[in-house]
Amino acid sequence: MKKQPTQSLANLTARRFFRNRLAVFGLGILLFMFLFSFLGGAVSPYSQDQVFYRDEQQVKELAGVTRNESYRFAAENSSAFTTVVQALFARYLGKQDSFTHENKTYEIRLEGQNLYGLYTQGKLVGIAFLDILSPSGSFGFTYAALKAYCNSRPDFLYDGKTYALDPQGSIYSEDEEVGFISRLIIRGAQGQTELPQWFRPAVTEAITQGNTTFQGPDGQQLSLFYNAAGRLWSVRQVSLTRVWDSYASPSQKHLLGTDKNGMDMLTRLMYGGRVSLVIGFLVVLISSFLGVIFGGIAGYFGSYIDNLIMRLVDIFYCVPSTPLLIILGAVMDGMRIDPKLRMVGLMLILGFLGWPGIARLVRGQILSLREQEFMTAAEALGLKTSRRIFRHLLPNVIPQLIVNCTMSLGSTILTEATLSFLGLGVKFPFASWGNIINDAANAHVLTSYWFVWIPAGVCLVMSVLGFNFLGDGLRDAFDPKMRR
Amino acid sequence: MTRYILKRLGISVIILLFVVFIIYVLMRCLPASYVENMALQLSQAPGAKPYEEWVRQLNAQYGLDVGIVQGYFIQLKNLVTLNFGDSWKFTVPVLEKFSEVIWVSVAMGAIALALELIIAIPLGILAATRQYSLTDYAVTTGALVGISLPTFFFATLLKLVFSVKLGWFDLYGLVGRNHLSLDPWGKFWDIAAHLVLPIITLVVVSVGSLMRYTRTNMLEVLNADYIRTARAKGLPERRVVYSHAFRNTLIPLVTLIGGSLPSLFAGALITETLFAIPGIGYTSYQAMIAGDIPFSMFYLTFLAALTLLGNLLSDIAYSLVDPRVRVGT
């Protein structure tokens, strides 16, 4: 028979622990989470509140363009060109050469393509045209310009001045553009009443050439959309606007996309992990510190001190913690407390709420240990009280305490996450896993952007699970009665 | 026994007095702006009293115009006479609102508790009888996963799958849009459908600890001497487990269930809020967020009383069920 080497208690405990697969798995998860949160935050190229932008194309409707299909009229003087005359002119033009109205004979002459003149007694009284001059000028100028345009002449004379005309319809006087003739009616879109000078020629050119995009003089990108049903072109300007790159899908640059504020999700997840884990640890530290002191005193001294402390524990045990935290959170909301201060407040409150449970545990342990032989021996040896407590009593309480603390780390992280989820815990700009998931309260995010809230939830569940597995494993490992 | 119960009841009442004192001090320490906001709103109603008068009246009504100690005794007097005042948020007497919303919570909690027991006890016993088997690992892991699940995350996942993707249930609320036009059975099914997801959430999140509790206790019982005796005398394993061991496992279970009965009335604060179920939990959440001091005060006191009652009930249940325990005779 092989001789077994003697092993220390710690050695045995470690062996029992590592034989428990779940516990080792939990330890693995926790190690990963710590590396992810603390190292990841340092390695990540971004900071937790770095905002990313993207250029978004914004389409602005500038104008609507239609082709003029009905004749327009202009008159030398309106008294001779009454509405009845105009109506008759419109009725007979292109069909009859003349008509009579109120004993006057009117003659319709074709003056050019789509340009008619109405004469009575050899004198011009009005014209009908499809092509439109803009800006509108006097009758004489309009007539001269249209006549030249409709007959495709390169220039015309009006009031002693010569105007040049190019095939597109631009009218120049001494190289300066003074007007423009086109079949197209251009109306500014809503909120866009004044169109710049260059606009009409540019749009006309694009439409006659069948282009769908064209450029303005300042390099603006304009595009034309033709609506066949309405026989309408709409002119839109596409401009680039810088906006927060919110809810960007996962990509090479942002492995888990970005959140509502255009911040890198993965980085926020790492910093959120830091916050959740650090809060968890500090809270448990505070509550176990208070719990060990009060529980230790109660257990060791017994009698009326024990009674007093335990009644205190009973009282604090009855104070409902979740509603209390919600009320305090709402109050801190109301007082607009600085997010950093708020985090500290949250830790202190959570820590203070946790001590009665630990005090009960420690007291119970100490009460049973105090009666055991080794304590009697310590007393018989004449050891000091402080030495008896700290060297002989407390070390025996510690295994139970560690198990309890590990388990309550998990539940503390859950509590903090729940509060942050409700918007009453850790606040923006600080990330915490809870307040990251808070985004999913918005139904749109819930359905469309899984990458915003599912990873945070998975991290949260894994960490809590890790602590619970670890605690469970430690409990079994510390129990010498377990033989595995 | 009666003497024991009376003594425990007395201690509970004293503890409650202190708890109420703590809650009262906390409420008094909250910034006074709630009362002032309230007074401002009330004074703006047509034909209302001026602002200062409202402030004075509200302060007097809630005992806020006196010192903390004196105010505490006024509060106690109100508590004994069950006069909790009017809720600021809901503008009806606190008790009226309470009796209106409590039954949804109780129904939800009772169904969830029943389901938890049905699931947890058989699985816990199964795991204990086959310790270290695959079943045991599965149950233990499942229980720990359940404990580790954050309510809000699990509820959100359920919503995504069953409400959004599958469209089986509504996202929020207790009744559907066409509730009023349904016949009585239709109304019943409508409410039932709206309670499915909240109840699943409650069961999954809390079934784990009950399962572990059952397993641990069953293991303890299975290691006891009388079980060895039963086996030694040649009883079939089935009889040992389901007759001898199971009965003894019931002792801690009955204690636990007895103790958790009062908490049915406490409502599920987080779950109800997530699903907007108008039970006591969600109602109180709204009241607390709105700074409704009378309702919050009532709810906190009520919860403390429930906790004490739960402790008392579990102790009584323990002494009734376990013949080894004889107290206060």
Side-chain angles (χ1 to χ4, degrees):
Chain A
M1 198 176 156
K2 219 170 129 189
K3 201 186 159 197
Q4 290 260 326
T6 34
Q7 284 179 318
S8 71
L9 187 66
N11 223 329
L12 281 170
T13 307
R15 276 181 60 139
R16 272 200 298 265
F17 177 80
F18 283 108
R19 226 177 287 158
N20 187 341
R21 258 174 291 165
L22 276 183
V24 174
F25 178 61
L27 191 66
I29 295 176
L30 288 180
L31 275 179
F32 173 76
M33 281 298 162
F34 272 92
L35 285 180
F36 175 76
S37 305
F38 289 92
L39 214 62
V43 167
S44 164
Y46 313 124
S47 73
Q48 67 166 326
D49 46 8
Q50 186 179 350
V51 180
F52 292 89
Y53 297 91
R54 67 160 174 257
D55 292 323
E56 195 163 72
Q57 287 199 333
Q58 273 197 334
V59 177
K60 197 162 78 176
E61 181 98 25
L62 283 183
V65 181
T66 47
R67 201 177 176 84
N68 185 25
E69 302 289 354
S70 59
Y71 278 91
R72 296 183 172 209
F73 301 92
E76 171 82 78
N77 87 50
S78 48
S79 59
F81 194 72
T82 58
T83 42
V84 182
V85 174
Q86 184 184 323
L88 288 166
F89 185 23
R91 182 173 164 195
Y92 293 121
L93 108 185
K95 297 177 191 135
Q96 243 171 267
D97 284 347
S98 61
F99 61 88
T100 327
H101 175 65
E102 285 180 352
N103 302 327
K104 275 188 191 165
T105 308
Y106 293 91
E107 199 183 332
I108 302 172
R109 288 188 205 156
L110 183 66
E111 306 240 348
Q113 205 184 358
N114 301 319
L115 176 69
Y116 293 91
L118 186 68
Y119 294 82
T120 179
Q121 295 151 355
K123 206 177 138 231
L124 183 69
V125 288
I127 52 172
F129 50 90
L130 279 181
D131 300 293
I132 298 158
L133 170 74
S134 65
S136 48
S138 67
F139 175 76
F141 183 78
T142 310
Y143 177 60
L146 283 176
K147 191 161 183 177
Y149 178 76
C150 294
N151 292 306
S152 312
R153 268 190 246 124
D155 52 22
F156 63 92
L157 196 73
Y158 175 71
D159 211 10
K161 267 167 101 176
T162 309
Y163 294 89
L165 189 66
D166 74 4
Q168 269 86 43
S170 296
I171 303 165
Y172 298 94
S173 162
E174 293 159 0
D175 290 338
E176 194 195 335
E177 188 166 4
V178 292
F180 182 71
I181 299 171
S182 159
R183 182 73 63 83
L184 303 173
I185 306 168
I186 302 180
R187 283 198 199 89
Q190 271 190 341
Q192 198 67 45
T193 42
E194 228 163 272
L195 292 169
Q197 182 83 59
W198 56 267
F199 197 76
R200 277 163 205 281
V203 171
T204 313
E205 191 185 336
I207 289 177
T208 44
Q209 291 182 357
N211 295 342
T212 50
T213 54
F214 61 100
Q215 275 195 336
D218 305 327
Q220 303 100 314
Q221 278 294 327
L222 296 148
S223 39
L224 278 169
F225 293 89
Y226 184 59
N227 175 356
R231 293 190 189 174
L232 180 86
W233 287 268
S234 59
V235 184
R236 295 176 192 169
Q237 182 173 11
V238 181
S239 58
L240 292 179
T241 320
R242 278 184 91 71
V243 292
W244 286 349
D245 192 11
S246 50
Y247 299 132
S249 297
S251 62
Q252 203 106 55
K253 197 175 158 213
H254 304 293
L255 287 177
L256 282 176
T258 56
D259 69 356
K260 177 173 59 186
N261 303 304
M263 299 174 182
D264 185 60
M265 208 60 244
L266 187 64
T267 311
R268 280 192 74 76
L269 216 53
M270 291 165 175
Y271 281 89
R274 273 190 199 186
V275 169
S276 293
L277 292 172
V278 166
I279 288 187
F281 268 98
L282 288 179
V283 164
V284 169
L285 209 68
I286 296 172
S287 53
S288 36
F289 179 74
L290 288 173
V292 167
I293 290 198
F294 280 102
I297 292 175
Y300 190 82
F301 293 105
S303 74
Y304 74 96
I305 299 180
D306 179 29
N307 231 323
L308 192 75
I309 292 180
M310 280 304 114
R311 293 297 83 76
L312 202 65
V313 166
D314 282 345
I315 290 168
F316 274 97
Y317 222 73
C318 277
V319 176
S321 56
T322 315
L324 195 69
L325 286 166
I326 289 175
I327 291 177
L328 289 174
V331 168
M332 287 200 266
D333 258 6
M335 287 161 63
R336 295 176 198 286
I337 284 183
D338 176 63
K340 209 167 206 166
L341 208 68
R342 208 190 154 112
M343 227 147 68
V344 177
L346 183 72
M347 270 188 285
L348 291 178
I349 297 165
L350 280 173
F352 191 72
L353 285 174
W355 74 265
I358 292 180
R360 263 189 190 171
L361 175 101
V362 171
R363 170 188 174 261
Q365 283 280 310
I366 287 183
L367 275 185
S368 72
L369 287 170
R370 209 176 55 169
E371 304 304 323
Q372 290 188 10
E373 281 87 354
F374 72 91
M375 284 312 292
T376 322
E379 205 175 341
L381 281 170
L383 297 179
K384 276 187 295 180
T385 311
S386 62
R387 192 173 166 81
R388 286 210 303 270
I389 293 180
F390 291 108
R391 296 282 303 174
H392 296 267
L393 210 47
L394 279 186
N396 285 298
V397 181
I398 279 178
Q400 276 288 319
L401 196 64
I402 291 179
V403 171
N404 196 287
C405 285
T406 317
M407 295 293 223
S408 55
L409 260 170
S411 57
T412 306
I413 290 177
L414 274 188
T415 311
E416 178 269 317
T418 307
L419 282 175
S420 301
F421 175 80
L422 293 173
L424 301 167
V426 178
K427 285 261 188 184
F428 187 82
F430 295 102
S432 114
W433 288 333
N435 73 21
I436 290 174
I437 304 176
N438 179 18
D439 240 12
N442 176 346
H444 180 53
V445 178
L446 171 72
T447 53
S448 323
Y449 304 116
W450 63 269
F451 53 84
V452 171
W453 61 280
I454 293 215
V458 171
C459 283
L460 189 59
V461 176
M462 292 312 269
S463 305
V464 179
L465 202 60
F467 281 118
N468 282 339
F469 278 154
L470 187 68
D472 216 37
L474 284 175
R475 191 209 311 271
D476 287 356
F478 282 135
D479 188 354
K481 275 179 282 179
M482 297 282 286
R483 284 183 305 270
R484 293 193 56 192
Chain B
M1 190 68 198
T2 322
R3 254 190 70 188
Y4 169 71
I5 293 176
L6 282 179
K7 194 182 148 202
R8 285 295 313 267
L9 215 56
I11 295 175
S12 298
V13 168
I14 293 168
I15 291 178
L16 191 63
L17 290 185
F18 280 101
V19 174
V20 171
F21 181 70
I22 292 178
I23 298 172
Y24 182 73
V25 170
L26 268 171
M27 287 291 171
R28 281 297 297 267
C29 292
L30 298 185
S33 60
Y34 293 119
V35 169
E36 282 150 24
N37 277 343
M38 194 70 203
L40 196 65
Q41 262 176 35
L42 286 170
S43 65
Q44 274 162 357
K49 286 181 276 188
Y51 170 74
E52 290 77 17
E53 229 171 282
W54 269 116
V55 171
R56 241 177 294 138
Q57 186 187 331
L58 285 174
N59 277 336
Q61 191 174 347
Y62 300 109
L64 298 177
D65 57 344
V66 291
I68 284 190
V69 178
Q70 199 188 342
Y72 169 65
F73 284 105
I74 294 174
Q75 188 71 34
L76 272 189
K77 205 186 99 201
N78 287 343
L79 201 105
V80 171
T81 54
L82 292 181
N83 169 22
F84 293 99
D86 293 348
S87 157
W88 294 351
K89 161 97 183 158
F90 305 104
T91 60
V92 290
V94 168
L95 282 180
E96 192 184 318
K97 186 71 190 171
F98 170 73
S99 54
E100 182 190 320
V101 297
I102 183 68
W103 297 111
V104 176
S105 293
V106 173
M108 211 169 93
I111 296 171
L113 182 65
L115 286 175
E116 277 164 34
L117 293 176
I118 292 172
I119 297 170
I121 294 179
L123 281 179
I125 288 174
L126 194 71
T129 49
R130 303 186 190 166
Q131 202 185 3
Y132 304 136
S133 69
L134 201 64
T135 324
D136 184 25
Y137 263 113
V139 169
T140 316
T141 314
L144 276 176
V145 169
I147 295 171
S148 307
L149 271 177
T151 312
F152 62 95
F153 181 61
F154 185 64
T156 315
L157 277 181
L158 282 182
K159 280 183 184 178
L160 178 67
V161 174
F162 293 104
S163 301
V164 178
K165 298 282 180 209
L166 296 174
W168 292 354
F169 305 108
D170 285 355
L171 272 175
Y172 301 105
L174 182 64
V175 293
R177 220 171 297 170
N178 54 353
H179 183 74
L180 286 177
S181 61
L182 296 169
D183 56 88
W185 269 110
K187 281 183 181 168
F188 175 77
W189 286 118
D190 186 39
I191 291 179
H194 280 83
L195 284 178
V196 170
L197 290 187
I199 288 176
I200 292 180
T201 311
L202 280 179
V203 170
V204 168
V205 169
S206 43
V207 78
S209 52
L210 194 59
M211 213 138 76
R212 277 165 60 92
Y213 191 72
T214 313
R215 177 179 174 272
T216 317
N217 281 303
M218 189 70 181
L219 277 178
E220 215 162 87
V221 171
L222 283 175
N223 284 330
D225 292 341
Y226 55 84
I227 295 297
R228 197 181 305 147
T229 312
R231 285 202 179 114
K233 99 185 161 173
L235 282 182
E237 187 65 19
R238 279 182 64 86
R239 210 173 140 69
V240 173
V241 172
Y242 294 104
S243 176
H244 290 241
F246 180 62
R247 279 196 198 173
N248 283 290
T249 313
L250 280 181
I251 294 173
L253 279 179
V254 168
T255 316
L256 183 80
I257 296 162
S260 64
L261 281 181
S263 67
L264 289 182
F265 288 85
L269 188 64
I270 306 291
T271 312
E272 283 175 21
T273 305
L274 289 170
F275 288 97
I277 300 291
I280 183 70
Y282 182 46
T283 310
S284 315
Y285 178 77
Q286 287 172 308
M288 288 187 287
I289 290 298
D292 180 347
I293 292 180
F295 202 97
S296 312
M297 185 79 209
F298 164 74
Y299 184 60
L300 288 172
T301 314
F302 181 62
L303 284 188
L306 287 180
T307 312
L308 285 168
L309 189 64
N311 288 346
L312 187 65
L313 277 184
S314 76
D315 283 356
I316 292 172
Y318 192 51
S319 59
L320 283 180
V321 175
D322 196 336
R324 286 168 297 187
V325 180
R326 285 277 171 264
V327 277
T329 40

mmCIF file of all heavy atoms in Angstrom, chain B residues 36-51 54:
data_model
loop_
_atom_site.group_PDB
_atom_site.id
_atom_site.type_symbol
_atom_site.label_atom_id
_atom_site.label_comp_id
_atom_site.label_asym_id
_atom_site.label_seq_id
_atom_site.Cartn_x
_atom_site.Cartn_y
_atom_site.Cartn_z
ATOM 1 N N GLU B 36 -44.076 70.984 -1.607
ATOM 2 C CA GLU B 36 -44.207 72.298 -2.233
ATOM 3 C C GLU B 36 -44.756 72.195 -3.654
ATOM 4 O O GLU B 36 -45.641 72.958 -4.039
ATOM 5 C CB GLU B 36 -42.845 73.005 -2.231
ATOM 6 C CG GLU B 36 -42.516 73.581 -0.860
ATOM 7 C CD GLU B 36 -41.026 73.613 -0.575
ATOM 8 O OE1 GLU B 36 -40.243 73.628 -1.535
ATOM 9 O OE2 GLU B 36 -40.657 73.611 0.620
ATOM 10 N N ASN B 37 -44.253 71.225 -4.406
ATOM 11 C CA ASN B 37 -44.796 71.003 -5.760
ATOM 12 C C ASN B 37 -46.285 70.752 -5.713
ATOM 13 O O ASN B 37 -47.063 71.282 -6.489
ATOM 14 C CB ASN B 37 -44.127 69.784 -6.402
ATOM 15 C CG ASN B 37 -42.803 70.162 -7.020
ATOM 16 O OD1 ASN B 37 -42.550 71.333 -7.238
ATOM 17 N ND2 ASN B 37 -41.960 69.177 -7.272
ATOM 18 N N MET B 38 -46.632 69.864 -4.771
ATOM 19 C CA MET B 38 -48.026 69.476 -4.606
ATOM 20 C C MET B 38 -48.868 70.705 -4.305
ATOM 21 O O MET B 38 -49.926 70.917 -4.912
ATOM 22 C CB MET B 38 -48.059 68.506 -3.423
ATOM 23 C CG MET B 38 -49.303 67.754 -3.291
ATOM 24 S SD MET B 38 -49.394 66.590 -4.643
ATOM 25 C CE MET B 38 -51.149 66.399 -4.637
ATOM 26 N N ALA B 39 -48.395 71.512 -3.377
ATOM 27 C CA ALA B 39 -49.144 72.699 -2.967
ATOM 28 C C ALA B 39 -49.271 73.662 -4.140
ATOM 29 O O ALA B 39 -50.334 74.266 -4.350
ATOM 30 C CB ALA B 39 -48.438 73.373 -1.799
ATOM 31 N N LEU B 40 -48.203 73.765 -4.910
ATOM 32 C CA LEU B 40 -48.228 74.664 -6.061
ATOM 33 C C LEU B 40 -49.308 74.225 -7.040
ATOM 34 O O LEU B 40 -50.106 75.027 -7.530
ATOM 35 C CB LEU B 40 -46.853 74.642 -6.736
ATOM 36 C CG LEU B 40 -46.576 75.783 -7.696
ATOM 37 C CD1 LEU B 40 -46.531 77.094 -6.930
ATOM 38 C CD2 LEU B 40 -45.252 75.565 -8.405
ATOM 39 N N GLN B 41 -49.340 72.896 -7.285
ATOM 40 C CA GLN B 41 -50.344 72.376 -8.208
ATOM 41 C C GLN B 41 -51.746 72.625 -7.688
ATOM 42 O O GLN B 41 -52.626 73.084 -8.406
ATOM 43 C CB GLN B 41 -50.157 70.871 -8.356
ATOM 44 C CG GLN B 41 -49.379 70.485 -9.594
ATOM 45 C CD GLN B 41 -49.151 68.996 -9.618
ATOM 46 O OE1 GLN B 41 -50.011 68.218 -9.174
ATOM 47 N NE2 GLN B 41 -48.014 68.588 -10.111
ATOM 48 N N LEU B 42 -51.932 72.330 -6.397
ATOM 49 C CA LEU B 42 -53.270 72.460 -5.823
ATOM 50 C C LEU B 42 -53.722 73.912 -5.830
ATOM 51 O O LEU B 42 -54.890 74.205 -6.049
ATOM 52 C CB LEU B 42 -53.270 71.919 -4.390
ATOM 53 C CG LEU B 42 -53.217 70.406 -4.285
ATOM 54 C CD1 LEU B 42 -52.973 69.977 -2.858
ATOM 55 C CD2 LEU B 42 -54.505 69.787 -4.797
ATOM 56 N N SER B 43 -52.766 74.817 -5.603
ATOM 57 C CA SER B 43 -53.156 76.218 -5.509
ATOM 58 C C SER B 43 -53.467 76.809 -6.876
ATOM 59 O O SER B 43 -54.067 77.858 -6.988
ATOM 60 C CB SER B 43 -52.043 77.023 -4.839
ATOM 61 O OG SER B 43 -50.907 77.013 -5.668
ATOM 62 N N GLN B 44 -53.053 76.106 -7.926
ATOM 63 C CA GLN B 44 -53.319 76.646 -9.254
ATOM 64 C C GLN B 44 -54.689 76.261 -9.788
ATOM 65 O O GLN B 44 -55.113 76.751 -10.828
ATOM 66 C CB GLN B 44 -52.231 76.190 -10.233
ATOM 67 C CG GLN B 44 -51.040 77.121 -10.205
ATOM 68 C CD GLN B 44 -49.805 76.498 -10.803
ATOM 69 O OE1 GLN B 44 -49.820 75.349 -11.192
ATOM 70 N NE2 GLN B 44 -48.739 77.274 -10.880
ATOM 71 N N ALA B 45 -55.361 75.348 -9.091
ATOM 72 C CA ALA B 45 -56.705 74.980 -9.519
ATOM 73 C C ALA B 45 -57.606 76.196 -9.365
ATOM 74 O O ALA B 45 -57.397 77.029 -8.484
ATOM 75 C CB ALA B 45 -57.207 73.828 -8.658
ATOM 76 N N PRO B 46 -58.613 76.327 -10.240
ATOM 77 C CA PRO B 46 -59.487 77.507 -10.148
ATOM 78 C C PRO B 46 -60.172 77.594 -8.793
ATOM 79 O O PRO B 46 -60.688 76.595 -8.283
ATOM 80 C CB PRO B 46 -60.491 77.291 -11.290
ATOM 81 C CG PRO B 46 -60.310 75.893 -11.750
ATOM 82 C CD PRO B 46 -58.947 75.479 -11.390
ATOM 83 N N GLY B 47 -60.140 78.750 -8.230
ATOM 84 C CA GLY B 47 -60.827 78.996 -6.973
ATOM 85 C C GLY B 47 -60.175 78.346 -5.783
ATOM 86 O O GLY B 47 -60.813 78.119 -4.753
ATOM 87 N N ALA B 48 -58.884 77.991 -5.923
ATOM 88 C CA ALA B 48 -58.231 77.268 -4.834
ATOM 89 C C ALA B 48 -57.674 78.235 -3.798
ATOM 90 O O ALA B 48 -57.567 79.440 -4.028
ATOM 91 C CB ALA B 48 -57.112 76.404 -5.387
ATOM 92 N N LYS B 49 -57.289 77.661 -2.694
ATOM 93 C CA LYS B 49 -56.658 78.453 -1.646
ATOM 94 C C LYS B 49 -55.270 78.889 -2.101
ATOM 95 O O LYS B 49 -54.690 78.251 -2.978
ATOM 96 C CB LYS B 49 -56.516 77.594 -0.390
ATOM 97 C CG LYS B 49 -57.818 77.360 0.333
ATOM 98 C CD LYS B 49 -57.608 76.531 1.554
ATOM 99 C CE LYS B 49 -57.597 75.058 1.203
ATOM 100 N NZ LYS B 49 -57.581 74.193 2.368
ATOM 101 N N PRO B 50 -54.724 79.921 -1.513
ATOM 102 C CA PRO B 50 -53.372 80.332 -1.909
ATOM 103 C C PRO B 50 -52.341 79.292 -1.512
ATOM 104 O O PRO B 50 -52.580 78.430 -0.661
ATOM 105 C CB PRO B 50 -53.152 81.640 -1.162
ATOM 106 C CG PRO B 50 -54.147 81.648 -0.073
ATOM 107 C CD PRO B 50 -55.321 80.868 -0.551
ATOM 108 N N TYR B 51 -51.179 79.423 -2.139
ATOM 109 C CA TYR B 51 -50.098 78.448 -2.009
ATOM 110 C C TYR B 51 -49.682 78.214 -0.562
ATOM 111 O O TYR B 51 -49.587 77.064 -0.106
ATOM 112 C CB TYR B 51 -48.909 78.954 -2.848
ATOM 113 C CG TYR B 51 -47.631 78.216 -2.644
ATOM 114 C CD1 TYR B 51 -47.446 76.947 -3.174
ATOM 115 C CD2 TYR B 51 -46.588 78.779 -1.917
ATOM 116 C CE1 TYR B 51 -46.270 76.270 -2.999
ATOM 117 C CE2 TYR B 51 -45.401 78.106 -1.736
ATOM 118 C CZ TYR B 51 -45.250 76.856 -2.273
ATOM 119 O OH TYR B 51 -44.082 76.185 -2.086
ATOM 120 N N TRP B 54 -51.979 76.059 1.348
ATOM 121 C CA TRP B 54 -51.876 74.652 0.970
ATOM 122 C C TRP B 54 -50.651 74.010 1.610
ATOM 123 O O TRP B 54 -50.718 72.892 2.100
ATOM 124 C CB TRP B 54 -51.791 74.500 -0.551
ATOM 125 C CG TRP B 54 -53.131 74.332 -1.200
ATOM 126 C CD1 TRP B 54 -53.719 75.171 -2.076
ATOM 127 C CD2 TRP B 54 -54.040 73.247 -1.007
ATOM 128 N NE1 TRP B 54 -54.948 74.695 -2.454
ATOM 129 C CE2 TRP B 54 -55.175 73.506 -1.811
ATOM 130 C CE3 TRP B 54 -54.022 72.085 -0.233
ATOM 131 C CZ2 TRP B 54 -56.269 72.659 -1.860
ATOM 132 C CZ3 TRP B 54 -55.111 71.237 -0.291
ATOM 133 C CH2 TRP B 54 -56.222 71.530 -1.082
#
